[in-house]
Each structure stands twice: as structure tokens, then as C-alpha cells.
Amino acid sequence: MGYATKEDIDELYGTDLLVKIADYDRDGTPDPLVVDKGLLAADEICDAYLSAQYTIPVVPTPGVVKNCAIDIAVYKIALGRGGRTDEMRVRYEDALALLEKISTGKVGLGLPPETVDNGDGTSTTTNPNVKRAGGSFDCGRA
């Protein structure tokens, strides 16, 4: 399961965009392998950033992550076709900047708190927007 799908791109930008950037065989439809490759690249980039704070993959997919994945995928798909636009580049760079903020804990995922029934009449509420426990190594400290 990825953070975004072809249908998500269609919904946000319309099918015409995918035909323009992913129809390598010029049959009027986006080539599935080209789209899948772009979506996979987007997932890998999102995971690289998200893994700094969260267990990946992040499930359910937060809307902010899905939108980043869409913009990254569109940019990556357009690279192979020469159909990139300045708007695609700006959206790609904005997505990376947002993922950077998420990876450093400056921005949360926008997920609602989760309440789990403990089975003993009590419940526990957790905030999925809080970074994972454990921290990271800091080689600069003694």
C-alpha cells in the first residue's frame, strides 16, 4: 500500500495531466508502469523523511502525506517525459519542505487521537502526531 494512488492524482489534477506526462506509448492513456514507478519513488522519499520520527509506513495515510506523495509522484513521472512545469517543481519542493518539517517534529501529521479499549473497563488515548519514542543518536555529545 502506498501513500497515494493513480486515482488520487486523477482526482487532484485530472486524467489529462497523467496522459500528458505518463503516456509514453501515445495510446491516450497513462502507462501503468510509468505511474507505478513514480508512485513508488514518492513512497520511498516520504518514508525516508517520515522514518526520522515515525514507524513507517504511516497507517492510516495522513492527508498531508498523501498530498506530498501526489506532488512528488507527478514531478518524478514528468522527469522522464520532459513535461515538467515550474508549478510541478515548486509543488515538489514544497512537498519536500513539508516532509522536512515533519521529520524534525516541527509539523505533526494532523491525525486525530486514537482511543484503544484496554479490555478491563479502561481505555488509553494516544496522539499519533507525537514522534516515536527512543530518539536518535547524537555523536556530537560525550
Side-chain angles (χ1 to χ4, degrees), residues 83-103:
R84 279 181 315 194
T85 65
D86 287 338
E87 179 183 354
M88 286 178 196
R89 181 187 48 78
V90 168
R91 287 179 177 269
Y92 171 77
E93 291 171 354
D94 288 349
L96 295 182
L98 180 56
L99 288 169
E100 173 68 23
K101 289 177 183 175
I102 292 170
S103 76

Side-chain angles (χ1 to χ4, degrees), residues 10 13-22 28 30:
D10 284 343
Y13 291 113
T15 303
D16 290 344
L17 174 70
L18 275 179
V19 170
K20 179 181 174 186
I21 63 174

Side-chain angles (χ1 to χ4, degrees), residues 60-91:
T61 301
V64 295
V65 174
K66 178 170 81 170
N67 288 333
C68 287
I70 290 169
D71 288 335
I72 292 167
V74 166
Y75 183 79
K76 292 294 188 178
I77 293 166
L79 282 174
R81 207 43 209 276
R84 279 181 315 194
T85 65
D86 287 338
E87 179 183 354
M88 286 178 196
R89 181 187 48 78
V90 168
R91 287 179 177 269

